[in-house]
Amino acid sequence: MKNRHQGATGVILANGPSALNYKCNNQRLIHIGVNASPLLEEKCNVVLDYYVLSDRRFLQNPEKRKIALSMLDRKTTCVLREELSYDLETFEDNVYFVKAIGRDGFSKNLAKGFYFGCTTTMLALQLAYYLGLRKIYLVGVDLLYRPEQPRFYHETNVEPHDPFTSVQIWNFSNAYLTLKELGVELYLCSYESLVRPYIPYKEISQIQ
């Protein structure tokens, strides 16, 4: 998959409540979803090109497991953390596994592994670079985890967020600085996000 979309523009659909504000008006964009992002496809007028998953707890939750295993378009390419292969009975030809090589950092070569950064969105970012994207928009990266609505979708049993927000912020900031040096533009499209001081902000309507 290296440089498969050289020079293209992409959108990473994370799971914060602000993701509900996204509406795709450009079908040439590359869309990468994480965790429950398949639930956004109809509302946001998008079919995910790629789907990534790194948190084992997502597959261990029966309600969420259905999202990952039965709601994706068969053409969507899946990139999963290597350990998740033990939680799957079968997998298709378009499912790839990548090993975690550490918590903090940014991998420029996904074939050698990725840094998980305590958020699945970090795998999506490293995939975006590996695919050759040169402009990346982060949608739904809020990091607020409000009790009344921690994520954009309803959870019967709310998954508690890990107490690693500072780790997530560091990794997003480091990803921005790394990508900037590599000539890749990274923008944040969540006005209230805790990572906004570290990544340039763009309104969702400015995605192009």
Side-chain angles (χ1 to χ4, degrees), residues 162-183:
D162 294 319
F164 295 118
T165 303
S166 60
V167 174
Q168 296 171 335
I169 291 173
W170 186 91
N171 277 282
F172 280 122
S173 175
N174 178 66
Y176 167 70
L177 294 174
T178 302
L179 290 170
K180 184 178 180 180
E181 290 182 355
L182 295 168

Side-chain angles (χ1 to χ4, degrees), residues 7 13 19 24 58 64 91 96 98 101 111 126 135 139 156 168 174 190 192:
L13 283 173
C24 176
F58 198 85
K64 297 179 180 180
F91 43 87
Y96 299 87
V98 57
I101 54 178
Q126 290 161 92
K135 186 182 290 185
V139 173
T156 302
Q168 296 171 335
N174 178 66
S190 174
E192 295 185 305

Side-chain angles (χ1 to χ4, degrees), residues 43-205:
K43 184 183 189 311
C44 297
N45 187 37
V46 63
V47 174
L48 297 177
D49 298 287
Y50 297 89
Y51 175 75
V52 304
L53 192 59
S54 65
D55 191 341
R56 195 170 193 178
R57 294 172 302 177
F58 198 85
L59 288 180
Q60 292 174 334
N61 182 314
E63 188 176 22
K64 297 179 180 180
R65 184 181 177 88
K66 293 179 182 178
I67 299 173
L69 299 186
S70 63
M71 295 191 65
L72 283 171
D73 187 285
R74 293 183 63 85
K75 295 180 181 179
T76 301
T77 299
C78 300
V79 179
L80 312 179
R81 184 172 178 164
E82 189 175 60
E83 291 85 350
L84 299 186
S85 63
Y86 304 112
D87 296 288
L88 301 174
E89 294 80 14
T90 60
F91 43 87
E92 306 294 335
D93 291 338
N94 62 342
V95 177
Y96 299 87
F97 295 98
V98 57
K99 65 180 179 181
I101 54 178
R103 188 187 75 173
D104 303 321
F106 189 93
S107 173
K108 300 172 186 176
N109 185 356
L110 211 61
K112 294 183 178 180
F114 78 104
Y115 293 92
F116 60 90
C118 296
T119 169
T120 301
T121 308
M122 278 304 303
L123 174 54
L125 262 174
Q126 290 161 92
L127 171 63
Y129 173 73
Y130 192 69
L131 291 169
L133 302 188
R134 283 297 173 262
K135 186 182 290 185
I136 306 165
Y137 295 93
L138 294 174
V139 173
V141 177
D142 302 341
L143 303 186
L144 297 175
Y145 304 109
R146 293 189 174 100
E148 67 275 14
Q149 189 180 14
R151 301 169 179 85
F152 76 82
Y153 58 96
H154 170 75
E155 298 174 276
T156 302
N157 297 307
V158 178
E159 186 78 45
H161 75 277
D162 294 319
F164 295 118
T165 303
S166 60
V167 174
Q168 296 171 335
I169 291 173
W170 186 91
N171 277 282
F172 280 122
S173 175
N174 178 66
Y176 167 70
L177 294 174
T178 302
L179 290 170
K180 184 178 180 180
E181 290 182 355
L182 295 168
V184 178
E185 299 177 52
L186 178 64
Y187 298 103
L188 178 74
C189 299
S190 174
Y191 184 82
E192 295 185 305
S193 174
L194 293 181
V195 79
R196 187 179 172 194
Y198 309 98
I199 300 176
Y201 171 74
K202 292 270 190 181
E203 295 184 2
I204 285 179
S205 60

